[in-house]
Amino acid sequence: MECLPTYDTLDHSNNNDKDVEKERDPLSYLSKEETKEKIQLYNTAVTDKLKMTLNSNGIYTGFIKVQMELRRPITVRTRTNPKGSINILHISSTNTVREVIEALLKKFLVADNPAKFALYKRCQKEDQVYMCRLSDREHPLYLRLVAGPNLETLSFVLREHETGDWEAFTVPELQNFLRILDKEEDEQLQNLKRRYSCYKEKLEEALSGVRKPG
């Protein structure tokens, strides 16, 4: 079943891997006039009404979409499972990657430590797709503005850190993972048993009909 986009707001406009992008200050890359021009071009190109707004202080606000590609079991305090969903956040140009991650986890009441998650940018060039982990202090809305609204050019993905190191988790977290996996395994096993039981019953009915004298 396809997950529908959801909306949330993260607007604070008033207030060491080789693949990690260098930390940037988005306001130092474009002048106010350049930013204004970029936003005008961006708003002309959008097709989903998710436009950007430039404030008088030079800070701008807008929307980003984040795909939740979570693979490990997570602890949530709500019935809504964020895995696979697409979230639309309203943020400002001052909001950092770390703030975006924390907002997404807070939205779904994820109890896991935010430090265990990372925001990636996905870029498509010709037939190649590239994934790059973003620094915690980068500014996603600036990246969105520079790339334009086309999601093939740039999209954001939330994932767990690709460390492969289970020692980063506490014992209760690991035990909870095991409980979740045991539950999923039991559900799959019960579904498999029901399917084969139904199949067996139909085969026996078919054989019974064949054996009856005509």
Side-chain angles (χ1 to χ4, degrees):
M1 182 176 65
E2 182 179 358
C3 299
L4 297 177
T6 55
Y7 289 79
D8 201 1
T9 299
L10 179 63
D11 184 354
H12 299 163
S13 55
N14 297 322
N15 311 331
N16 285 322
D17 295 337
K18 62 181 180 181
D19 63 344
V20 177
E21 293 287 299
K22 293 181 180 179
E23 298 175 1
R24 311 183 187 122
D25 178 357
L27 303 181
S28 66
Y29 273 73
L30 298 173
S31 67
K32 188 173 181 179
E33 287 302 316
E34 289 172 329
T35 300
K36 182 178 179 180
E37 182 179 351
K38 279 279 188 184
I39 290 176
Q40 289 175 341
L41 291 172
Y42 184 96
N43 289 342
T44 301
V46 296
T47 58
D48 51 14
K49 299 182 180 180
L50 301 180
K51 298 184 177 182
M52 295 194 187
T53 302
L54 179 61
N55 300 318
S56 58
N57 59 2
I59 295 174
Y60 51 96
T61 60
F63 300 86
I64 62 169
K65 296 180 181 180
V66 182
Q67 176 81 32
M68 307 285 280
E69 290 188 358
L70 305 178
R71 301 172 183 176
R72 297 176 185 146
I74 58 173
T75 305
V76 294
R77 300 192 181 99
T78 178
R79 293 182 179 180
T80 303
N81 193 327
K83 292 185 178 182
S85 65
I86 297 176
N87 288 269
I88 299 177
L89 295 180
H90 183 243
I91 64 175
S92 82
S93 55
T94 62
N95 289 131
T96 63
V97 163
R98 181 49 46 187
E99 290 174 318
V100 167
I101 293 173
E102 291 174 354
L104 287 169
L105 299 182
K106 183 178 180 181
K107 173 182 175 61
F108 290 102
L109 301 179
V110 176
D112 301 68
N113 189 339
K116 296 174 183 176
F117 300 87
L119 192 68
Y120 289 76
K121 69 175 183 180
R122 178 189 284 130
C123 305
Q124 183 172 334
K125 297 179 181 179
E126 298 178 351
D127 295 331
Q128 297 294 324
V129 177
Y130 302 90
M131 292 288 292
C132 180
R133 185 166 68 86
L134 298 173
S135 154
D136 283 350
R137 295 183 62 82
E138 282 207 74
H139 300 80
L141 195 61
Y142 170 78
L143 299 177
R144 179 79 279 160
L145 176 62
V146 172
N150 191 331
L151 295 181
E152 289 189 0
T153 303
L154 171 71
S155 60
F156 296 106
V157 178
L158 183 72
R159 288 181 173 180
E160 299 92 344
H161 280 299
E162 297 294 337
T163 61
D165 185 7
W166 289 97
E167 294 179 359
F169 296 89
T170 65
V171 171
E173 287 175 325
L174 293 172
Q175 290 174 337
N176 188 55
F177 291 164
L178 288 175
R179 283 194 294 269
I180 294 173
L181 291 174
D182 285 341
K183 182 180 178 182
E184 291 179 351
E185 181 183 18
D186 184 64
E187 290 175 350
Q188 291 296 325
L189 182 60
Q190 295 303 319
N191 289 335
L192 191 63
K193 286 181 177 180
R194 282 193 293 269
R195 191 174 72 182
Y196 276 91
S197 177
C198 181
Y199 185 59
K200 180 181 178 181
E201 184 178 338
K202 290 181 178 179
L203 279 176
E204 289 175 345
E205 290 178 357
L207 286 172
S208 177
V210 170
R211 289 169 182 169
K212 289 181 179 180

